[in-house]
Amino acid sequence: DAKTTQPTSMDCAEGRAANLPCNHSTISGNEYVYWYRQIHSQGPQYIIHGLKNNETNEMASLIITEDRKSSTLILPHATLRDTAVYYCIVHRGGGYQKVTFGTGTKLQVIP
Amino acid sequence: NAGVTQTPKFQVLKTGQSMTLQCAQDMNHEYMSWYRQDPGMGLRLIHYSVGAGITDQGEVPNGYNVSRSTTEDFPLRLLSAAPSQTSVYFCASKRTGVSTDTQYFGPGTRLTVL
């Protein structure tokens, strides 16, 4: 599975959009980009995923570059409850591959 | 559905003791996995299973054993606990045989080894 690189930490003002980048330059054609977040010490929670098209759901938007070597998770109106560690991971679909996490980005939303 | 459940929530062991961390899911997911998370760190994969009777090692398997006799349960055994195994342990599950597969995580077991 492709490795990912994320900034260690980021700050965002409450109410503003939070843009979290992720580099995955070695991604293969059949690998998906997934985003999870972990609030405080809880178990990680799924946010969104995509293959090559941009995706949006009720939580966030995912923008994947045309060459698929990087992506950005967008939280359109960050709230204090969005303070968490955000993980970008890449793996193939099908469900049989091991899934490894990196260290993620610690997002601090500031009042 | 209860989702993914883990027991116990907290545990304190002495060095050399053994114990089993329990994980169960009621979503009929074939894939299950165990991660550990040390303070201020990301999640590291210990072991995973793609179905009953099938297990494989992750990134940090030493000191841990697993077995998968049923689809629902995936226990993690510490054979001889060491202080380096002090961590938070998360169990997760997901479907297989689909093109996209999101993981569902349990609430974690906080283990301290003295």
Side-chain angles (χ1 to χ4, degrees):
Chain A
D1 292 340
K3 298 278 187 202
T4 62
T5 304
Q6 300 177 253
T8 302
S9 63
M10 295 180 64
D11 291 338
C12 177
E14 189 177 17
R16 295 292 185 96
N19 296 279
L20 291 87
C22 179
N23 285 324
H24 31 80
S25 59
T26 61
I27 191 170
S28 300
N30 59 355
E31 288 182 319
Y32 290 77
V33 180
Y34 287 81
W35 284 83
Y36 289 79
R37 75 178 181 184
Q38 185 177 27
I39 296 174
H40 196 45
S41 300
Q42 300 174 20
Q45 173 193 25
Y46 164 79
I47 301 173
I48 197 168
H49 72 278
L51 182 61
K52 48 185 167 183
N53 297 324
N54 298 338
E55 302 288 345
T56 295
N57 63 20
E58 64 279 3
M59 291 181 67
S61 294
L62 174 60
I63 308 297
I64 303 174
T65 59
E66 192 169 344
D67 63 8
R68 303 210 320 126
K69 293 184 177 182
S70 65
S71 61
T72 301
L73 178 74
I74 301 173
L75 308 177
H77 305 286
T79 70
L80 298 179
R81 289 174 293 181
D82 292 322
T83 292
V85 177
Y86 289 78
Y87 297 97
C88 166
I89 61 175
V90 174
H91 64 85
R92 286 176 289 156
Y96 296 99
Q97 299 76 33
K98 64 182 178 181
V99 179
T100 56
F101 284 68
T103 53
T105 296
K106 168 66 176 177
L107 175 69
Q108 183 71 48
V109 179
I110 303 168
Chain B
N1 286 351
V4 179
T5 58
Q6 293 183 237
T7 56
K9 286 187 170 56
F10 300 93
Q11 183 70 49
V12 179
L13 292 177
K14 295 181 179 178
T15 297
Q17 287 185 316
S18 62
M19 79 159 295
T20 299
L21 279 63
Q22 301 292 344
C23 174
Q25 51 90 13
D26 60 359
M27 298 174 281
N28 202 31
H29 287 170
E30 290 189 3
Y31 182 104
M32 296 185 73
S33 57
W34 277 101
Y35 295 87
R36 62 175 286 175
Q37 185 172 38
D38 299 335
M41 305 291 286
L43 291 90
R44 291 186 291 170
L45 182 65
I46 304 172
H47 285 285
Y48 67 104
S49 167
V50 297
I54 306 170
T55 63
D56 206 346
Q57 296 181 349
E59 303 166 288
V60 288
N62 292 341
Y64 307 94
N65 273 4
V66 292
S67 60
R68 185 92 179 272
S69 56
T70 67
T71 299
E72 295 78 18
D73 302 296
F74 190 41
L76 178 72
R77 280 182 286 277
L78 281 69
L79 305 175
S80 178
S84 61
Q85 294 178 304
T86 293
S87 191
V88 181
Y89 291 84
F90 290 102
C91 179
S93 74
K94 64 185 176 78
R95 295 182 299 170
T96 57
V98 293
S99 60
T100 59
D101 43 336
T102 63
Q103 288 204 97
Y104 296 83
F105 283 82
T109 293
R110 283 141 186 84
L111 176 68
T112 301
V113 182
L114 303 175

